């Protein structure tokens, strides 16, 4: 029996399958080197733009068990992540300027996605380097990824190479060839903010059709 809804499942989500490597088209299949320590460029409206690597180790290490919800309607429950709180990274290392309101995460595979800075300060938002006690590898976004459980999977950028603080979203586009409409500025799972303008009753079945292909190709 497939579970279509339940007390713990957010609206429109299904408990489908194991936690697989998931990605959109060319981003999923693009070869990515993901070994070595986490290292990324801190860019934009911050006190001091620079490369961040060992500095991350000065932050408190935390473990968190959270659920994961892909916008294409599959969910997985209870994965244990380890890493650093984004809020602490912000306060201690990034130190964004007062005008900064948006953060763009860039992945090694060319994928990128923006979130509102205020959403990223929630205590369950992590820069994660470990999943279920194993270092993050190719499948789940090594060496460092974003984990923002209250937001759809597409906001949880994997293989982070740059974190860019911006004033607003102008000049920022969802990665080609995907239309900007597929990106919601907040993408909160509980509010079912899957996309912009397109209604959920239409987008759910369309996304569901793409899931088997995305898994198989991975
Ligand atoms: N760099 C990068 N990050 C990404 C993606 C991607 O293709 N490339 N796909 C996004 C999507 S749509 C989802 S659902 C999650 C999937 O995470 P997983 O591969 O760990 O299951 O990663 C997100 N972050
Ligand atoms: Mo996704």
């Amino acid at each position: 029996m497939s579970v279509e809804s339940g007390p713990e499942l957010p609206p429109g989500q299904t408990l489908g399958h194991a936690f697989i490597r998931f990605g959109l088209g060319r981003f999923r299949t693009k070869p990515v080197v993901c070994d070595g320590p986490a290292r990324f460029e801190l860019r934009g409206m911050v006190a001091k733009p620079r490369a961040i690597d060992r500095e991350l180790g000065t932050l408190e290490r935390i473990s968190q068990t959270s659920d994961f919800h892909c916008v294409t309607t599959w969910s997985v429950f209870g994965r244990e992540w380890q890493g650093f709180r984004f809020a602490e990274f912000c306060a201690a290392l990034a130190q964004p300027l007062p005008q900064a309101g948006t953060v763009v995460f860039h992945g090694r595979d060319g994928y990128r996605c923006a979130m509102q800075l205020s959403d990223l300060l929630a205590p369950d938002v992590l820069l994660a380097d470990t999943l279920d006690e194993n270092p993050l590898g190719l499948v789940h976004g090594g060496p460092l990824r974003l984990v923002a459980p209250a937001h759809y999977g597409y906001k949880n950028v994997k293989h982070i190479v740059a974190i860019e603080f911006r004033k607003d979203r102008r000049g920022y586009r969802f990665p080609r060839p995907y239309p900007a409409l597929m990106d919601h500025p907040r993408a909160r799972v509980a509010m079912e903010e899957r996309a912009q303008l397109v209604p959920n009753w239409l987008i759910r079945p369309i996304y569901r059709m793409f899931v088997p292909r995305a898994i198989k190709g991975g």
Side-chain angles (χ1 to χ4, degrees):
M1 192 186 91
S2 78
V3 182
E4 284 299 331
S5 64
E8 302 139 304
L9 270 176
Q13 293 296 111
T14 308
L15 262 194
H17 46 72
F19 194 17
I20 38 86
R21 183 183 189 204
F22 199 84
L24 300 163
R26 70 184 161 98
F27 299 110
R28 187 193 65 253
T29 49
K30 184 154 179 185
V32 174
V33 180
C34 68
D35 53 357
R39 185 178 193 283
F40 61 86
E41 293 292 322
L42 172 63
R43 293 188 198 147
M45 298 186 134
V46 291
K48 191 176 151 212
R50 63 193 186 278
I52 302 271
D53 44 30
R54 266 178 258 168
E55 278 180 276
L56 269 181
T58 64
L59 305 178
E60 183 190 356
R61 261 201 100 71
I62 49 172
S63 299
Q64 161 177 307
T65 301
S66 45
D67 304 335
F68 190 92
H69 309 288
C70 174
V71 73
T72 62
T73 72
W74 59 268
S75 294
V76 290
F77 283 162
R79 306 322 292 253
E80 193 201 323
W81 302 96
Q82 282 182 20
F84 314 99
R85 278 217 173 88
F86 191 86
E88 200 202 340
F89 159 73
C90 242
L93 301 182
Q95 299 179 307
L97 304 182
Q99 311 93 288
T102 295
V103 183
V104 186
F105 296 85
H106 300 258
R108 282 186 193 184
D109 52 359
Y111 185 87
R112 64 182 177 192
C113 212
M115 282 188 67
Q116 293 188 358
L117 176 54
S118 51
D119 282 341
L120 289 163
L121 300 180
D124 61 353
V125 177
L126 305 185
L127 291 172
D129 58 5
T130 306
L131 170 63
D132 298 332
E133 295 180 3
N134 298 310
L136 278 186
L138 174 72
V139 177
H140 290 300
L144 193 74
R145 79 172 297 165
L146 186 72
V147 172
H151 303 263
Y152 284 117
Y154 69 87
K155 295 289 188 188
N156 294 233
V157 174
K158 300 183 281 190
H159 317 297
I160 293 174
V161 281
I163 300 182
E164 180 189 354
F165 287 75
R166 301 176 67 111
K167 187 169 173 207
D168 53 35
R169 292 163 62 82
R170 215 171 314 151
Y172 165 74
R173 273 193 86 252
F174 208 45
R176 287 195 180 82
Y178 303 100
L181 285 180
M182 288 171 78
D183 180 38
H184 187 284
R186 301 192 70 185
R188 286 171 296 176
V189 177
M191 317 285 287
E192 211 177 346
E193 294 168 336
R194 292 182 197 271
Q196 297 177 66
L197 304 177
V198 193
N200 286 322
W201 62 262
L202 178 63
I203 207 165
R204 283 187 206 140
I206 294 174
Y207 273 152
R208 270 188 197 129
M209 281 185 329
F210 282 97
V211 177
R213 203 159 74 186
I215 298 170
K216 238 186 281 163

